[in-house]
Amino acid sequence: MLKDRYGNSLTTESDAARDAYIDGVDKFLSGNAGSEEAFRRAVEADPNLAVAHVGIARYRILMADRPGAAAAIQDARNATGQSEREVSHTEAFGRLIDGDGPGGYKAIRAHVVEYPRDVMIAQTCTSVFGLIGFSGREGREAEQLAYTTYIAPDYGDDWWFLGQHAFAQAEVGQLELARENIERALEAYPRNGHNAHINAHIFYEEGNNDAGFDYLREWYVDYDDNAYLHCHISWHVALWTAAAGDMDTAWRLLEEGCSPENSKGPGLNILTDTVSFLHRAQLSGIDVPAERWKRISDFAAETFPRAGLAFADVHSGLAHAMAGNAEAFAALTKEAKGPAAEIVAPTWAGFKAFAEGDWAAAERELGPAMAGHERLGGSNAQRDLLEFTLAEAIRKQGRAAEADRLIAMRRPRQQELAAA
Ligand SMILES: [Fe+2]
């Protein structure tokens, strides 16, 4: 019986299908380009390798191609002779694609209990954009760490696992453990987009901006722009480049890496990274042309017209407010939806007041969002957008010391960037 790299048996007699599947999984887990192509090679070699069809579905949904994902799940369901694990693998992920979020999550957790080393299913519950990260639940960062800790005995020194465990640790402030784990992960596999990205987060949380910038900009030079993390890593590099005062390069990185016209990455990254960069640039005193806000507002209105995914919703709302796109703002904000709706609504109101220059209202409206903004999803670094906006609203009212104190209390190692 052929096996994947994690020791899971594969129902195929084709070495080519097995090798291509392993290649697809490795590229997917390491954020390198070519995973979908590898999964397609696997199903060409053996159309009955259901888990490779699911791999295609994983990539399609990442690119917000729901019909493409549904078609791949159907191909997986049509595969014959599958083992119990493979059927469960297809069904657990398939239910998400069918639109049954709660049922899919439940099935995935049950699958992970039964088959903890089925990495492509275990992976769905990791990272700040995963099923726990985007759950909207209170305490989801602690829950994330509980999850990676739970699967730790099954993964040992595996580079994928160490990276995700490090990310979960970093997001709750366990920076020493995070640093230790990410260095072990990178030693095992240095050209790993996810782990390079996680390392950047750890540098950021450490307040170690110079070292982070040096590391990431060097790492990023050879990173394939077809890789799905290319946009988001461009954002990290662009932010540090802007903080270092080189705006020409920062704008170029944003344009090449994150713009709707040039990026090959997921729409969610294009939206959130562009909006975040523009707003943080503006907060730090850089002149942001209105045209840039208009472009990303138009993209948001086209790509995420309705509310539902909290992390997209707050960034879209900010884009529309800053672009003065009242129509799109009104259409989006009619009703906050989803498990984090009670955080989304005040964030929208706060961003709108901020865009209108009503600093007191911005401070008042953002207040209720601050205690629980982890529920919006994304990383601490991404949600510094809210921390820095609130601080600026306070500063604009002539209370600079209070604004500094807010950052010193809530994000003590980010003072340098907050004041940039
Ligand atoms: Fe990031």
Side-chain angles (χ1 to χ4, degrees):
M1 181 74 83
L2 297 178
K3 292 186 172 177
D4 69 16
R5 195 170 59 75
Y6 287 85
N8 301 293
S9 297
L10 296 171
T11 305
T12 183
E13 286 173 8
S14 162
D15 287 346
R18 185 264 325 259
D19 292 348
Y21 178 71
I22 289 174
D23 187 34
V25 170
D26 283 352
K27 284 179 168 144
F28 190 89
L29 296 180
S30 64
N32 278 310
S35 66
E36 182 180 10
E37 291 80 354
F39 290 132
R40 289 196 186 279
R41 285 201 313 277
V43 298
E44 264 167 41
D46 184 349
N48 277 317
L49 185 55
V51 289
H53 289 293
V54 178
I56 294 169
R58 297 294 314 275
Y59 201 83
R60 287 291 94 215
I61 202 65
L62 203 61
M63 301 308 287
D65 173 14
R66 192 163 279 278
I73 289 297
Q74 195 51 53
D75 289 339
R77 285 174 170 153
N78 291 341
T80 54
Q82 299 299 298
S83 67
E84 271 181 37
R85 176 192 72 88
E86 289 162 319
V87 169
S88 169
H89 180 118
T90 298
E91 283 316 306
F93 193 71
R95 285 177 77 164
L96 294 182
I97 301 301
D98 294 342
D100 177 11
Y105 179 66
K106 211 171 152 192
I108 281 172
R109 292 304 298 259
H111 184 92
V112 173
V113 170
E114 191 74 20
Y115 311 103
R117 277 181 67 82
D118 195 351
V119 68
M120 289 293 281
I121 295 298
Q123 183 274 345
T124 60
C125 297
T126 59
S127 194
V128 296
F129 274 22
L131 293 174
I132 294 173
F134 274 165
S135 67
R137 286 192 287 273
E138 287 178 73
R140 61 95 182 167
E141 289 169 324
E143 186 184 344
Q144 184 71 82
L145 180 58
Y147 176 78
T148 56
T149 303
Y150 168 73
I151 62 173
D154 293 293
Y155 284 92
D157 277 344
D158 175 73
W159 51 257
W160 165 77
F161 168 73
L162 287 174
Q164 290 305 324
H165 196 37
F167 204 0
Q169 290 169 324
E171 291 295 288
V172 298
Q174 295 183 1
L175 297 178
E176 282 179 28
L177 292 170
R179 165 112 346 263
E180 206 176 290
N181 282 327
I182 199 63
E183 283 179 2
R184 281 165 65 203
L186 282 164
E187 204 177 293
Y189 188 174
R191 291 306 303 170
N192 179 329
H194 278 298
N195 287 350
H197 168 235
I198 291 162
N199 196 21
H201 272 273
I202 296 168
F203 279 122
Y204 183 101
E205 292 304 320
E206 290 167 338
N208 211 345
N209 293 305
D210 291 345
F213 186 28
D214 285 348
Y215 165 77
L216 198 62
R217 72 175 150 181
E218 195 180 316
W219 190 93
Y220 169 81
V221 171
D222 299 323
Y223 193 41
D224 190 332
D225 68 0
N226 288 299
Y228 67 80
L229 269 175
H230 183 268
C231 165
H232 186 62
I233 292 183
S234 300
W235 172 78
H236 278 275
V237 179
L239 264 192
W240 272 327
T241 303
D246 181 1
M247 279 313 295
D248 287 348
T249 305
W251 285 126
R252 182 177 56 75
L253 290 170
L254 188 77
E255 196 59 37
E256 290 174 1
C258 302
S259 67
E261 294 81 5
N262 296 322
S263 174
K264 297 165 195 160
L268 182 60
N269 288 128
I270 292 172
L271 168 71
T272 58
D273 291 333
T274 299
V275 168
S276 172
F277 184 87
L278 298 185
H279 192 58
R280 287 180 62 160
Q282 204 148 319
L283 289 175
S284 62
I286 291 153
D287 185 35
V288 174
E291 176 58 25
R292 286 190 181 270
W293 280 116
K294 186 184 174 316
R295 273 166 65 201
I296 199 62
S297 166
D298 289 348
F299 177 77
E302 195 189 312
T303 317
F304 298 94
R306 283 174 298 279
L309 180 59
F311 199 63
D313 295 343
V314 295
H315 286 83
S316 295
L318 180 58
H320 299 327
M322 296 303 285
N325 189 346
E327 199 184 322
F329 187 88
L332 174 77
T333 62
K334 222 176 291 170
E335 191 193 352
K337 295 209 175 84
E342 63 184 324
I343 309 294
V344 171
T347 304
W348 277 336
F351 282 160
K352 182 165 183 285
F354 190 92
E356 290 166 351
D358 187 344
W359 315 121
E363 180 187 359
R364 189 175 61 245
E365 300 287 3
L366 283 174
M370 300 313 284
H373 65 53
E374 70 176 317
R375 292 173 61 192
L376 296 172
S379 63
N380 279 303
Q382 287 173 308
R383 285 177 287 103
D384 276 345
L385 189 74
L386 279 94
E387 301 287 345
F388 295 178
T389 303
L390 177 60
E392 182 67 3
I394 293 170
R395 199 171 281 121
K396 289 277 196 193
Q397 296 174 76
R399 289 147 45 212
E402 191 183 331
D404 291 345
R405 191 160 62 243
L406 179 84
I407 297 296
M409 284 166 57
R410 292 178 61 90
R411 298 291 283 153
R413 296 190 188 87
Q414 278 63 46
Q415 276 171 300
E416 189 189 347
L417 291 173

